[in-house]
Amino acid sequence: MSEEAIKQAVALALDAMGVADADVRFEQPKDPGHGDLATNVALTLAKTLRRSPRDIAEEIASRVDTEGSGIESVDVAGPGFLNFKLSSGQVASRLEEIVGADADYGRCDEGGGESIVVEFVSANPTGPLHLGHGRQGALGDAIAGLLDWTGWSVSREYYYNDAGAQIDRLAESVWARYQQHFGQDAAVPEGGYQGDYVGAIAEGIAEEHGDRFVGNHDAAALEVMRTTAVHVLREEQDRDLSDFRIHFDVYFLESSLYEDGRVESTAEALRETGKVFDLDGAVWLRTTAYGDQKDRVMIKSDGSPTYFLPDVAYHMDKWGRGLHHAINVQGSDHHGTVARVQAGAQALGLPAGYPEYVLHQMVRVERDGKEVKLSKRAGSTITLRELMTEVGVDVTRYFFQMRKPDGHLVFDLGLALDQSDKNPMYKVQYAHARMCSIFKKAGRERASIVTEGVDLSVLTTEVEREVIKALVQFPELVRNAARLRAPHLICDYLEQTAGAVNSWYHAGNPSRNPELAVLVDDENLRNARLALARSVQIVLHNGLTILGIEAPEQMMREAELAPAD
RNA sequence: GCGCCCGUAGCUCAGUUGGAUAGAGCAACGGACUUCUAAUCCGUAGGUCGCAGGUUCGAAUCCUGCCGGGCGCGCCA
């Protein structure tokens, strides 16, 4: 509202200068010395007005009415920027919105309640979840959180590739280990699964069924291997995800698309588009007609479909369920699939660009600058379970979220294990807990801290202004992060804000500067600072909530956890 | 060879879609701290934004071409 006043005042000034249609854009300067709000109109108008930018800026400044608009000063700076400084009362009054909105501060209704589905993790049930799934889980869940906060009706979905060649290989792998268990000579096939968990599944089958499948390689035997393995691994994955605090609304089974004939009907529908052709005994879709680099095989020469066909069927199903906005989070090693799935959907009449993809790159865990691979169980990379057991769920989630999806992620185990302020996740949680401890010290329930009847204009120190300015940026930041599908912007913001908050908090250390402490004797000043602390607590809490990370009221030192095997 | 992504401080990374002196966090260096609102605080230093052109008042950001790295490239998923 105070900003509105400035914008209006500038508009009026420009009107008087005969350039009412100018595109005036404001921004919050990074440098506090540049005031609270700045605009570069004078620079953009220089050409059309044929006057020097500074000259134009001076005229605007002189025409802006500062009376009663809450503007403390207007300055012309640099090549012709106009910098506005608001009165401290105007700045502090923004706290009223924050305290008023409380747990909803930062929400908006940009999505208008429309449905959107975020599909992520979608691991094949062929082994334990590893690091990449962890990153994808944390990322997808945070994107879903952002969409929820910006007014979308979000559902989280998991697509189980429980059909097809990789599951057959799993069954063969279990079968081989089962034979080995009974002393038979059998080897896990080429491209099979080697991890210890395969042997464990085989032993489970041996316990339940005895030796009745020894030397027996018929369909029924393999079916037992297959269903048992899928069942066991799905349960394990579900447990891992649940402990990682990720919950899905819909689990979609690829096998269901075969069972109800939709893979075939999708193939039929694609044929009818005339974009299908036969070559070398296989059936192809002319995906190049929709911007793909190459045409793709949809039915192999042996008559079985490639994964691509059920994938298209699956997205037709999504659309049919009324989910006209869909985001798929995937590893960037799958980026080749993007164009072809979109092409298939488009061929069947869906809009170009459906579904939307967020691709993320791989994760590398390092300790002291060296790569760590500590999983025996999975046979190769570290599992999600191992990582979250070692450093905790909150840290794991945060570290996966704090980098933009593109580009590799280096997970620094040393930093993750550090429970001091150096660890960015703890830094944010500490700042939150410190605010809560002030409330406790003051003997105040959170809800009793209000802005009504408090003169907030007493919040005049530079640090206080900085903190307030950081806080009021939160809603716009959330909107932006949601649009860009970029949770890391939230992390970045929380760290910056926590930094400002910690400075404020430490500056008011009673042993050093008792007059800067929150709990001063002056009642109004104390209430104003409590309102600020409360606002900080709300923003940090809400930011962490979007990311699916806890906002503790009190920090506890966790006991040393035994490292995972 | 073609396509997508990445290249910013010693390390890990931001940079709000073209703005002012390019920012954080680790690490480094220098101080403060018998103490509580504390599993510290304040400060310093550190940069040809991969390279070269171009666009314009203005480029880390947009365009073109190179260099380097990751991933993917007709019947694996």
Side-chain angles (χ1 to χ4, degrees):
Chain A
M1 20 184 196
S2 46
E3 292 184 11
E4 287 311 309
I6 291 180
K7 288 174 186 174
Q8 260 183 22
V10 171
L12 280 173
L14 288 171
D15 204 28
M17 293 165 67
V19 278
D21 57 341
D23 177 28
V24 190
R25 304 181 69 168
F26 286 90
E27 60 165 21
Q28 302 202 356
K30 297 172 214 163
D31 184 342
H34 294 148
D36 301 309
L37 211 60
T39 180
N40 62 347
V41 254
L43 294 158
T44 57
L45 285 175
K47 209 166 197 176
T48 46
L49 291 182
R50 297 180 171 212
R51 291 168 58 190
S52 89
R54 274 201 77 98
D55 192 32
I56 298 169
E58 298 285 1
E59 182 172 349
I60 297 173
S62 69
R63 285 177 183 271
V64 164
D65 178 22
T66 54
E67 290 296 311
S69 61
I71 302 173
E72 194 174 293
S73 64
V74 192
D75 292 309
V76 177
F81 288 99
L82 278 163
N83 294 334
F84 297 86
K85 191 169 180 192
L86 296 170
S87 70
S88 62
Q90 285 294 333
V91 172
S93 69
R94 304 291 301 275
L95 298 183
E96 292 165 11
E97 296 167 41
I98 303 176
V99 175
D102 195 357
D104 288 329
Y105 184 68
R107 282 191 184 271
C108 69
D109 62 352
E110 185 165 87
E114 276 192 67
S115 294
I116 188 164
V117 56
V118 184
E119 181 210 321
F120 58 110
V121 184
S122 294
N124 298 340
T126 54
L129 297 175
H130 55 70
L131 289 178
H133 299 121
R135 180 177 196 185
Q136 194 172 126
L139 177 64
D141 204 43
I143 289 173
L146 280 169
L147 292 167
D148 175 52
W149 272 68
T150 48
W152 295 85
S153 173
V154 186
S155 78
R156 293 164 168 85
E157 187 154 326
Y158 194 115
Y159 180 62
Y160 264 116
N161 290 102
D162 64 337
Q166 80 281 1
I167 295 292
D168 295 338
R169 276 200 296 276
L170 175 67
E172 293 287 355
S173 305
V174 174
W175 185 88
R177 298 298 289 269
Y178 174 90
Q179 304 304 321
Q180 290 168 9
H181 178 77
F182 288 101
Q184 300 297 304
D185 191 24
V188 172
E190 191 88 2
Y193 296 89
Q194 302 286 353
D196 289 352
Y197 66 93
V198 180
I201 293 167
E203 275 168 38
I205 294 173
E207 253 173 57
E208 192 182 338
H209 298 274
D211 62 359
R212 51 186 280 226
F213 300 122
V214 172
N216 179 352
H217 195 257
D218 64 18
L222 285 170
E223 179 65 10
V224 169
M225 307 293 157
R226 191 181 71 82
T227 53
T228 307
V230 168
H231 175 76
V232 168
L233 291 168
R234 275 195 59 187
E235 265 195 347
E236 180 181 337
Q237 291 183 355
D238 288 348
R239 209 161 42 239
D240 288 351
L241 288 166
S242 163
D243 288 347
F244 199 44
R245 256 182 259 137
I246 291 177
H247 302 279
F248 290 91
D249 301 294
V250 174
Y251 289 90
F252 196 100
L253 271 58
E254 181 188 11
S255 56
S256 73
L257 292 166
Y258 287 92
E259 283 159 15
D260 62 17
R262 262 183 300 173
V263 173
E264 274 192 27
S265 63
T266 300
E268 279 311 308
L270 283 169
R271 265 183 224 283
E272 284 167 20
T273 65
K275 298 284 198 251
V276 171
F277 63 96
D278 295 295
L279 181 70
D280 300 337
V283 182
W284 299 64
L285 181 66
R286 199 177 299 288
T287 54
T288 50
Y290 304 97
D292 198 3
Q293 244 196 312
K294 294 172 179 175
D295 293 326
R296 308 291 175 178
V297 171
M298 50 184 252
I299 298 174
K300 302 181 227 172
S301 48
D302 69 0
S304 64
T306 62
Y307 80 97
F308 155 61
L309 192 52
D311 233 26
V312 172
Y314 171 48
H315 286 97
M316 294 310 292
D317 179 85
K318 274 184 185 167
W319 182 272
R321 280 184 271 148
L323 300 168
H324 295 181
H325 299 272
I327 298 176
N328 293 356
V329 185
Q330 294 193 351
S332 62
D333 53 334
H334 288 90
H335 79 252
T337 72
V338 174
R340 78 186 73 168
V341 171
Q342 288 177 341
Q346 200 180 343
L348 293 175
L350 301 196
Y354 182 93
E356 173 189 338
Y357 284 82
V358 174
L359 302 178
H360 66 87
Q361 300 230 32
M362 297 300 118
V363 179
R364 173 186 164 93
V365 175
E366 285 186 2
R367 196 194 310 257
D368 302 327
K370 276 176 283 182
E371 184 164 16
V372 186
K373 295 191 172 187
L374 38 74
S375 180
K376 279 187 293 189
R377 219 181 146 258
S380 54
T381 51
I382 302 169
T383 64
L384 172 60
R385 170 68 63 183
E386 287 162 334
L387 194 62
M388 67 186 188
T389 302
E390 185 158 355
V391 305
V393 173
D394 282 338
V395 172
T396 306
R397 288 183 68 116
Y398 192 91
F399 274 49
F400 280 146
Q401 290 161 343
M402 70 182 182
R403 303 299 180 213
K404 65 179 170 206
D406 322 321
H408 289 95
L409 175 80
V410 174
F411 195 109
D412 184 341
L413 258 190
L415 188 60
L417 285 166
D418 190 327
Q419 295 191 12
S420 77
D421 263 354
K422 287 177 190 167
N423 181 325
M425 200 289 296
Y426 282 111
K427 177 176 172 179
V428 177
Q429 285 192 340
Y430 278 124
H432 180 269
R434 281 170 183 147
M435 298 304 109
C436 292
S437 101
I438 293 175
F439 306 150
K440 207 175 293 173
K441 179 100 180 174
R444 297 282 294 268
E445 289 296 319
R446 283 189 218 175
S448 77
I449 298 167
V450 293
T451 51
E452 284 86 35
V454 179
D455 176 13
L456 296 169
S457 69
V458 296
L459 299 172
T460 53
T461 69
E462 186 151 334
V463 220
E464 284 166 347
R465 282 180 76 109
E466 282 311 294
V467 173
I468 295 168
K469 278 162 72 176
L471 296 181
V472 299
Q473 284 170 11
F474 184 62
E476 192 189 336
L477 178 94
V478 172
R479 214 165 21 241
N480 233 317
R483 281 188 197 139
L484 298 171
R485 286 81 167 101
H488 74 280
L489 295 176
I490 301 288
C491 297
D492 214 56
Y493 169 83
L494 288 175
E495 281 170 58
Q496 298 300 323
T497 304
V501 167
N502 286 337
S503 292
W504 174 61
Y505 174 84
H506 289 301
N509 185 326
S511 71
R512 218 173 297 144
N513 301 308
E515 75 283 1
L516 293 179
V518 172
L519 304 180
V520 289
D521 289 336
D522 181 294
E523 194 184 336
N524 182 68
L525 185 55
R526 182 172 65 222
N527 283 333
R529 285 181 178 159
L530 274 170
L532 177 54
R534 171 77 168 123
S535 302
V536 167
Q537 181 264 317
I538 288 169
V539 168
L540 295 181
H541 172 274
N542 294 359
L544 289 169
T545 299
I546 291 172
L547 300 177
I549 292 172
E550 295 186 340
E553 295 188 25
Q554 197 180 343
M555 298 300 285
M556 312 257 231
R557 169 166 285 198
E558 286 177 34
E560 286 289 323
L561 293 166
D565 62 340

